């Protein structure tokens, strides 16, 4: 399994200047039920085919869809349709890429199984570390302020 330093290096992706937008595979007028079913089916298929980028993308989009559901009761109803395995994958993938979803395309090694095995605290720490790095946050450690 990759350690958090390796995952961080993969997330910041050296040498990739063209980052694509992530576009959901449905139109805005599609019902929530149809969006959910479409993304869940696409996620299961991409994992089965071992399509790394598609799996991360579908997991992110499904996590975003669940996160954007307005009421906790409805959100809970849809999460119950997923197995705990898939719930962890979509939640952690969304948490990791929430602010920079297009960075999924920068990764070269990270996959949904690695994301699933990580602890939530590590996911959130990595997200913050990547955001700090990309924002050019200075490292003030050991410097006089």
């Amino acid at each position: 399994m990759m350690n958090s330093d390796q995952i961080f290096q993969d997330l910041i992706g050296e040498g990739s200047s063209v980052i694509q937008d992530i576009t959901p595979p449905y139109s805005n007028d599609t019902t929530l039920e149809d969006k959910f079913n479409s993304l869940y089916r696409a996620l299961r298929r991409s994992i089965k085919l071992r399509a790394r980028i598609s799996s991360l993308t579908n997991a992110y989009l499904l996590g975003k869809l669940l996160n954007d559901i307005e009421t906790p009761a409805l959100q809970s109803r849809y999460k119950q349709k997923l197995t705990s395995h898939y719930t962890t994958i979509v939640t952690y993938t969304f948490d990791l890429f929430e602010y920079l979803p297009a960075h999924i395309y920068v990764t070269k090694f990270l996959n949904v199984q690695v994301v699933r095995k990580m602890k939530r605290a590590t996911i959130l720490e990595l997200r913050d570390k990547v955001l700090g790095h990309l924002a050019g946050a200075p490292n003030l450690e050991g410097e006089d302020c």
Side-chain angles (χ1 to χ4, degrees), residues 7 10-11 52 56 96-97 107-111 114-115:
I7 294 169
D10 197 29
L11 288 170
R52 190 182 66 77
L56 287 168
L96 187 59
F97 293 101
T107 66
K108 291 182 174 50
F109 307 106
L110 187 65
N111 63 48
V114 171
V115 171

Side-chain angles (χ1 to χ4, degrees), residues 61-74:
L61 289 170
L62 188 52
K64 181 173 177 13
L65 181 70
L66 291 171
N67 188 67
D68 291 347
I69 294 175
E70 294 176 11
T71 65
L74 187 57

Side-chain angles (χ1 to χ4, degrees), residues 37-141:
N37 290 333
S38 171
L39 284 171
Y40 190 29
R41 188 173 39 255
L43 175 60
R44 289 191 326 258
R45 176 123 175 97
S46 60
I47 289 173
K48 181 180 177 183
L49 294 173
R50 297 179 190 253
R52 190 182 66 77
I53 295 293
S54 293
S55 296
L56 287 168
T57 302
N58 289 324
Y60 166 79
L61 289 170
L62 188 52
K64 181 173 177 13
L65 181 70
L66 291 171
N67 188 67
D68 291 347
I69 294 175
E70 294 176 11
T71 65
L74 187 57
Q75 187 181 60
S76 178
R77 192 179 116 218
Y78 276 95
K79 280 187 174 181
Q80 288 176 352
K81 293 181 179 196
L82 301 171
T83 65
S84 63
H85 172 79
Y86 283 105
T87 300
T88 301
I89 287 173
V90 301
T91 301
Y92 286 10
T93 303
F94 175 74
D95 286 345
L96 187 59
F97 293 101
E98 180 176 8
Y99 300 112
L100 297 166
H103 250 64
I104 288 171
Y105 297 107
V106 172
T107 66
K108 291 182 174 50
F109 307 106
L110 187 65
N111 63 48
V112 292
Q113 300 309 327
V114 171
V115 171
R116 182 183 61 84
K117 292 176 184 173
M118 294 169 59
K119 295 190 182 317
R120 189 155 200 282
T122 304
I123 293 282
L124 298 176
E125 181 182 308
L126 276 168
R127 177 180 69 182
D128 292 344
K129 190 175 175 181
V130 168
L131 286 172
H133 174 80
L134 295 175
N139 183 0
L140 300 177
E141 192 174 304

